[in-house]
Amino acid sequence: MRIFFGPFILDLDTRQLTRGSREIHLTTKAFDLLAALMLARPRVLSKAALLERLWPSTFVAEANLSNLVAEVREALGDPARTPVYIRTAHGVGYAFCGDAAVPGPRDRSPESPSCWLEWDERRLPLSVGEHVIGRDPDVEIRLEQSTVSRRHARLLVTRHGAVLEAFATKNGTFLGSERVSVPVQLADGDTIRVGSVLMTFHVRASLTPEETQLL
């Protein structure tokens, strides 16, 4: 099973956490912790339940669990005070609080793209996968304007929608009027400004009800 969330993919079969083409290392128990929270989402798992699941029939200090949570948060770039993915239920335990989707067989078929970008009378269909935006000749979405960095931003597209992530650049990436500082889910009609280039994101209107619920 593969679970998509933000710019990440958690593959429970291969036990890999990836971001685009890069694998993110987690220790065995940190991976097990993230998987447990993902599968239970959005329910809170108590500290006692997590300790028993991760260290069955073994007494360990609660600090061991806290250290694993810190490891997962560091791997995801998720600050404890303003979490996007791992929420602390104080005095109880932890929960996965982000948006996530599990693609079915339909998502793995070579269907036509369900979303696209429009700018300057151009229309660019977005296939499932990672699309880097910038001036670099090797990126998937190349813009030649001087206000655009070589690697400016990134779109991660699944059959359930798309996530926009900004790289650290001088001119910034904006969703509407807000500068993008953390990965954000896109909706039909969203305007994206990359440097001085204004784009519009669109999603095909013929998504099934099941797909719509997962957006």
Side-chain angles (χ1 to χ4, degrees), residues 169-201:
T169 60
K170 177 182 177 180
N171 293 319
T173 302
F174 293 79
L175 180 62
S177 61
E178 299 293 325
R179 185 163 185 154
V180 176
S181 57
V182 297
V184 290
Q185 189 86 28
L186 296 176
D188 183 53
D190 277 346
T191 57
I192 302 168
R193 181 159 60 85
V194 178
S196 61
V197 180
L198 189 64
M199 302 174 160
T200 306
F201 174 80

Side-chain angles (χ1 to χ4, degrees), residues 37 43-45 47 50 65-66 69 73 87-89 93-95:
L37 295 175
R43 292 187 294 111
V44 174
L45 293 181
K47 294 178 182 179
L50 287 169
L65 178 59
S66 299
V69 172
R73 283 175 168 155
R87 176 175 67 87
T88 300
Y94 302 94

Side-chain angles (χ1 to χ4, degrees), residues 110-209:
E111 299 178 20
S112 59
S114 61
C115 54
W116 62 94
L117 286 176
E118 292 183 354
W119 77 97
D120 295 339
E121 299 183 352
R122 293 184 59 183
R123 175 178 170 136
L124 179 67
L126 298 171
S127 58
V128 170
E130 180 186 65
H131 302 266
V132 175
I133 305 171
R135 285 191 296 114
D136 196 302
D138 296 329
V139 301
E140 290 76 17
I141 304 174
R142 189 181 181 194
L143 304 174
E144 297 182 353
Q145 286 80 353
S146 60
T147 56
V148 178
S149 298
R150 293 179 64 85
R151 293 174 63 85
H152 201 108
R154 170 167 48 195
L155 287 169
L156 180 66
V157 179
T158 74
R159 293 295 178 189
H160 306 296
V163 171
L164 173 66
E165 179 185 10
F167 296 141
T169 60
K170 177 182 177 180
N171 293 319
T173 302
F174 293 79
L175 180 62
S177 61
E178 299 293 325
R179 185 163 185 154
V180 176
S181 57
V182 297
V184 290
Q185 189 86 28
L186 296 176
D188 183 53
D190 277 346
T191 57
I192 302 168
R193 181 159 60 85
V194 178
S196 61
V197 180
L198 189 64
M199 302 174 160
T200 306
F201 174 80
H202 291 286
V203 178
R204 189 178 66 229
S206 59
L207 292 175
T208 66

Side-chain angles (χ1 to χ4, degrees), residues 10 17 24-32 34 71-72 75-76:
L10 184 70
L17 173 67
I24 298 173
H25 175 72
L26 286 176
T27 61
T28 299
K29 290 197 181 297
F31 185 96
D32 291 341
L34 178 57
E71 179 185 342
V72 172
L76 300 179

